[in-house]
Every structure is written in C-alpha cells, then in structure tokens.
Amino acid sequence: MAHVMVCVTGQKTCEKLIIEGSKLARELNAELSVLHVAHKGLNFMDNPSEGEALEYLYQISSQYGADMTMMRADNVVDALIKVARRLEVDHLVMGTPGNRGGHDLTMELGLRMPDVQIHVVYTRG
C-alpha cells in the first residue's frame, strides 16, 4: 500500500497541506501520516500561538484520518528522512520553501530521497 506523509510547521496555514495530502492519499488508496519536526534547540510548545496551531493541525489530521507525530531532532532533514523510510513513504507533501538562509529543504529531501515523489503546496495567503 502506498503511503503519503505531510510535513507541517507550527502554522495553521499548514491545514492546506493536510487537505491536499488527504486528497492525494484518497486518489492513491494510500495511508496518510502528518509529521512536525522541531529542532531540539527550539521550544515549540513554549510559543502559545505555535502550540495552538499544532493542536489545531492535530485535530485537522484526525478529521482526515491521519496520525500526527510531533518530534524534536538535532537535524530536521535527517529526522524527516528517517521517519519517511520507516513508514515506507512514497509521496511527501510540503509547503512552499521559505527563506532559510538559502537552504531549500524541498530540494535537499528530493536529492536524498529520489524514490519519493515530493508535492509542493502553496500555503501563503
């Protein structure tokens, strides 16, 4: 069975990613998972708006039949890849790359996981 994994940040706009991931999972008759990885140095639950957003995304994930996992890691990319490999993910749904000092997470994941199809969804606005 195919597996779709949606990568979310601590923003409510990531609801769009979950909805698109759900549509893709239905089309492919695939399992659906949602993942949020925060860098170990960041306290993702200490920020009230981020904590509220993650709780909201957890509820949205449940509505669409997905399990949502939240974790911390020293290296976010390595953690995403490790979870994707463990779940045998075929499709990865992500938001548009932000300006992370020139670092394009989508491109790096594509290079390191050439067997996984990456779907980029515009979430701003």
Side-chain angles (χ1 to χ4, degrees):
M1 174 178 259
H3 199 125
V4 175
M5 185 169 82
V6 178
C7 298
V8 299
T9 62
Q11 300 173 3
K12 287 185 177 181
T13 56
C14 289
E15 173 185 16
K16 292 179 183 179
L17 301 175
I18 297 168
I19 292 168
E20 290 302 314
S22 174
K23 289 178 187 176
L24 180 61
R26 274 196 314 273
E27 289 172 14
L28 299 171
N29 193 29
E31 292 183 58
L32 178 64
S33 299
V34 178
L35 177 65
H36 172 72
V37 180
H39 192 275
K40 272 191 179 176
L42 302 176
N43 293 322
F44 64 87
M45 293 309 251
D46 285 348
N47 179 338
S49 63
E50 188 171 5
E52 180 184 316
L54 290 171
E55 178 61 32
Y56 174 75
L57 295 173
Y58 183 85
Q59 292 172 4
I60 296 298
S61 297
S62 294
Q63 288 176 10
Y64 284 91
D67 291 325
M68 180 173 168
T69 302
M70 293 182 273
M71 61 186 291
R72 296 178 195 256
D74 287 323
N75 185 306
V76 173
V77 174
D78 287 346
L80 289 170
I81 292 170
K82 183 176 181 179
V83 172
R85 294 288 183 227
R86 181 175 50 81
L87 295 176
E88 298 179 356
V89 167
D90 305 291
H91 297 266
L92 190 63
V93 177
M94 303 182 68
T96 51
N99 184 3
R100 297 170 35 136
H103 181 251
D104 186 341
L105 181 67
T106 307
M107 184 180 294
E108 184 173 349
L109 288 170
L111 290 171
R112 293 182 58 191
M113 295 190 309
D115 55 322
V116 174
Q117 187 171 349
I118 298 178
H119 306 263
V120 177
V121 177
Y122 186 75
T123 58
R124 294 180 188 98

